Amino acid sequence: MMEINRKIKSKKLNVRVDLTAMVSVSFLLIIFFMLVGELSKPKTMDLSLPDNGDIRCGPIACYKGDRSYTILLDDNNKMITYMGLLCCPIENPKEVKYGKEGIRKELFYINKKVHEHSASIGKPNNGVIVFIKPSKKSNYGNLVNILDEMKIANIDSYTIIDSYTPEETKLLASK
């Protein structure tokens, strides 16, 4: 008999790595870093400053006030507005209601009036600057409503100020 010299071959197993979990984690990381990158961008707002011709230095502020319109918010949906500075108003303080026939009509009128005045003196892009001053007694809904009215009336320059002058405090108490 013949002896056959056989070597026993080891059986090779096919090694297969499942990368499904790795792909899922990679997509999650990509989405996470895209989101963090978008959220970490600084948010900016345009700032409108008065021209040099609009400046007047006084005890309260250094501003002439012919483009300023102030809205005072108080409790019970009370709102008082005036044009210019309170010490020498262009338009006397008056109580205005919320809504289409109230503050919205006022804002459209004031914005148109200021634009016409600015155009007549050679500065056609100067619009009204609105100072919104909510009191501690006013509610958040009233502030949101005023901000909505700013958007509807196309008023670009407005600010929210959380303090009153003593004259404005007396005005709110008297009305």
Side-chain angles (χ1 to χ4, degrees):
M1 224 189 206
M2 244 165 88
E3 196 175 309
I4 302 177
N5 194 5
R6 282 191 188 181
K7 289 186 180 180
I8 301 176
K9 289 187 174 182
S10 62
K11 199 174 193 184
K12 290 188 178 181
L13 298 175
N14 290 337
V15 177
R16 186 168 181 197
V17 178
D18 188 14
L19 296 176
T20 306
M22 180 77 90
V23 171
S24 297
V25 168
S26 299
F27 279 120
L28 286 174
L29 285 172
I30 289 170
I31 291 170
F32 172 76
F33 285 116
M34 286 174 60
L35 183 66
V36 167
E38 188 64 33
L39 292 178
S40 67
K41 290 180 182 173
K43 305 291 187 249
T44 61
M45 184 184 336
D46 292 334
L47 176 65
S48 293
L49 295 174
D51 295 336
N52 289 336
D54 293 339
I55 294 177
R56 180 191 85 185
C57 287
I60 297 173
C62 287
Y63 185 66
K64 186 174 168 184
D66 62 346
R67 291 175 44 209
S68 67
Y69 186 70
T70 304
I71 301 173
L72 305 173
L73 304 175
D74 205 12
D75 61 343
N76 298 326
N77 296 332
K78 184 177 177 182
M79 178 176 19
I80 297 175
T81 65
Y82 62 90
M83 181 84 179
L85 298 175
L86 192 55
C87 61
C88 49
I90 296 169
E91 185 179 291
N92 288 328
K94 63 182 173 183
E95 192 164 343
V96 179
K97 300 289 182 198
Y98 287 91
K100 185 178 181 180
E101 293 300 318
I103 188 66
R104 187 176 306 164
K105 189 175 179 181
E106 271 300 303
L107 289 172
F108 277 121
Y109 171 73
I110 294 295
N111 200 21
K112 181 180 176 189
K113 184 174 153 182
V114 170
H115 272 290
E116 287 172 355
H117 174 69
S118 296
S120 70
I121 61 172
K123 299 176 182 177
N125 295 329
N126 289 348
V128 67
I129 300 171
V130 179
F131 298 102
I132 303 167
K133 295 184 174 186
S135 71
K136 293 190 181 353
K137 299 177 195 173
S138 68
N139 62 39
Y140 183 72
N142 290 346
L143 181 61
V144 171
N145 288 340
I146 289 297
L147 294 176
D148 287 342
E149 295 295 341
M150 294 293 122
K151 187 71 171 171
I152 292 169
N154 291 325
I155 295 177
D156 298 325
S157 301
Y158 59 89
T159 184
I160 300 170
I161 302 172
D162 63 349
S163 64
Y164 283 114
T165 62
E167 293 86 7
E168 290 170 336
T169 306
K170 289 176 190 174
L171 177 67
L172 280 175
S174 68
K175 293 252 181 183

